[in-house]
Amino acid sequence: MNQLKCLLWDVDGTLADTERDGHRVAFNMAFEEAGLDRRWDVPTYGELLKVTGGKERIQFDIDRGGMHNMPHETIAQIHASKTIHYQNLIADGLIPLRPGVLRLLEEAYAADIILGVATTTTPSALNALIEHSLGHAWFERFAVLAAGDIVPAKKPAPDIYTYAMKELGVSPEETLALEDSGNGWLAAQAAKLKCVITVNDYTRNQDFNGADLVVSEFGEPDSPAVEIFINSHNLNDVHHVTLEHLQRIMTKTGSW
Ligand code: XBP
Ligand code: MG
């Protein structure tokens, strides 16, 4: 029987709904600054989210003919400017944490669960979110911040999860991933991790077949009950997701 020893957190869409009003807006600001007439509206950005990584997303849009005037700057320069705009948006306090995130983090930290981050986003973008939405103390409380180009292949490849576990000295059998997207779920699955998913407007129709628990959000005790979409372990008391639910998921043998 496996005990929960480590929680690995995805960032965008899981800790906070950063994509629509954060990253997307910052990309558009950078395009404007670079003299590009391209703007990513909300549905277009939803399509582009199938490509993980901001630089890769811009490249993909160029390759598919989305950008009609080619950028003067390189993609790396446009992305660097996007990251600064994103950091400023986060510093303005526009993107709160999702419901239940801080409660679960605090519960797990108090229980001596090892906490780590495994994300596709750029380290400086992650740092801004920790500083302004979580609080400075969390730089110490996360035992690893695995982000961006630190691995060659981004999600849906398992690499960022494998890297984080190696840094922490933990095994997949004692680690649970918290994700929000199909690409995140594929990455966790390929890393042989159990996985709980909190969907959002961009991801609720994606394929999470085989995930351990898929819910609308982690929720809060004093809010209405969360919606449950997949409940592979038949947890029968999920009003909001607690550390105890995550521990129960880990103790299941995988015979479902
Ligand atoms: C989400 C991503 C990132 C962000 C943009 O990462 O795919 O590319 O959309 O961030 P995750 P960057 O869900 O793994 O946290 O522009 O910094 O790549
Ligand atoms: Mg995500």
Side-chain angles (χ1 to χ4, degrees), residues 37 61 70 74 76 78 92 96 100 120 126 135 147 176 228 237 239 241:
D37 57 12
D61 200 34
M70 288 303 288
T74 65
I78 295 172
D92 286 345
T120 290
L126 166 64
L176 180 75
I228 302 174
D237 57 350
H239 171 277
V241 178

Side-chain angles (χ1 to χ4, degrees), residues 9-14 18-19 23-24 27 45 49 51-58 79 82-83 86 117-123 125-126 148 154-155 160-161 179-181 183-184:
W9 292 75
D10 171 54
V11 173
D12 296 308
T14 301
T18 47
E19 294 290 9
H23 290 296
R24 183 187 67 88
F27 280 113
Y45 193 67
L49 278 175
V51 180
T52 57
K55 295 187 285 294
E56 293 83 349
R57 197 167 297 147
I58 297 171
H79 188 258
K82 174 261 163 180
T83 300
Y86 177 79
V117 162
T119 175
T120 290
T121 203
T122 308
L126 166 64
K154 293 181 176 165
K155 299 175 190 176
I160 199 74
Y161 279 113
E179 274 288 352
D180 75 300
S181 71
N183 278 326

Side-chain angles (χ1 to χ4, degrees), residues 122-135:
T122 308
S124 48
L126 166 64
N127 290 345
L129 194 74
I130 293 177
E131 181 76 40
H132 298 287
S133 298
L134 267 172

